[in-house]
Amino acid sequence: MKKIIFMLAAALFCFQIAGISQTRVGVTAGVAMSKMTGNVDGDSKGGFIAGIMLETPLCKSFGFRPTLSYVQKGISQTPPAGTLIDEFNIDLRYAEFNADFVYFLSGGKGGVFIGAGPSIAFNLPSKRVSITDDVKTTTTIKFGNTSGDDMRGTDFGANFTAGWRSKSGFILNLNYNKGLRNLVVEGGSGKLKNEYIGIQLGIFLNNGTAK
């Protein structure tokens, strides 16, 4: 229930910001290369990322850019020893809200930008996937904070972004998102954290009317 309330509040916040005359409203999509750090072994895995991006100028070179995105995270793990499993993945899905403050190196009319801000993500239905002889088996991941759960659901951290925006509204956005919360449930040992690098292309839909 708390997740729903927060996401509704985040969406309402975005709509309120979008009502400001100088605010640009954009859509983005791309790929995310994610991994998990801590007491887990494995390789990075690719996923999909897409969202809504707003941009409100604060002064000539600074702007506020909140985004609300669907992000696929997780890790590609080594199959357990002594099994016939060919692939074993943890496929995590999140609704992620980033509140970045960006600086335009050539002023607010476009060009190269850098930025950073806080990040919070709420879990969506996620699963473990194993593949044996081209047969896929999935197991639902249980989110919570008790010994019967697999990992904590809500994640928070920091987001760092850089890229390029044209005067006509097209944008190339790179971001590195570092999860700071330990996702190991209460009573568990060790650490488990998310991180990913995202590459997205997008466009501001009302760029022509924004200042």
Side-chain angles (χ1 to χ4, degrees), residues 187-208:
S189 60
K191 293 183 179 180
L192 187 64
K193 297 181 180 181
N194 281 314
E195 64 179 64
Y196 75 89
I197 296 174
I199 304 175
Q200 300 178 75
L201 294 174
I203 185 171
F204 287 102
L205 304 177
N206 64 334
N207 190 71

Side-chain angles (χ1 to χ4, degrees), residues 17-28:
I17 293 293
I20 300 175
S21 61
Q22 292 186 333
T23 296
R24 297 176 173 89
V25 181
V27 292
T28 62

Side-chain angles (χ1 to χ4, degrees), residues 90-158:
I90 297 178
D91 293 344
L92 302 177
R93 307 292 184 256
Y94 288 94
E96 183 175 279
F97 180 74
N98 298 324
D100 294 328
F101 292 87
V102 295
Y103 173 73
F104 289 93
L105 276 65
S106 57
K109 295 182 179 181
V112 176
F113 62 83
I114 57 174
S119 173
I120 186 167
F122 293 102
N123 62 282
L124 299 174
S126 303
K127 56 192 176 181
R128 289 187 175 92
V129 179
S130 62
I131 301 176
T132 305
D133 293 332
D134 295 327
V135 177
K136 180 185 294 187
T137 303
T138 62
T139 304
T140 300
I141 293 176
K142 296 180 180 180
F143 291 99
N145 195 28
T146 66
S147 59
D149 297 313
D150 297 311
M151 66 181 69
R152 293 178 176 179
T154 304
D155 195 8
F156 54 79

Side-chain angles (χ1 to χ4, degrees), residues 162-184:
W164 174 82
R165 175 169 61 76
S166 72
K167 293 181 180 180
S168 59
F170 291 98
I171 185 169
L172 169 64
N173 187 72
L174 311 177
N175 75 298
Y176 168 65
N177 190 280
K178 175 63 177 178
L180 300 178
R181 190 186 194 196
N182 186 4
L183 301 180
V184 174

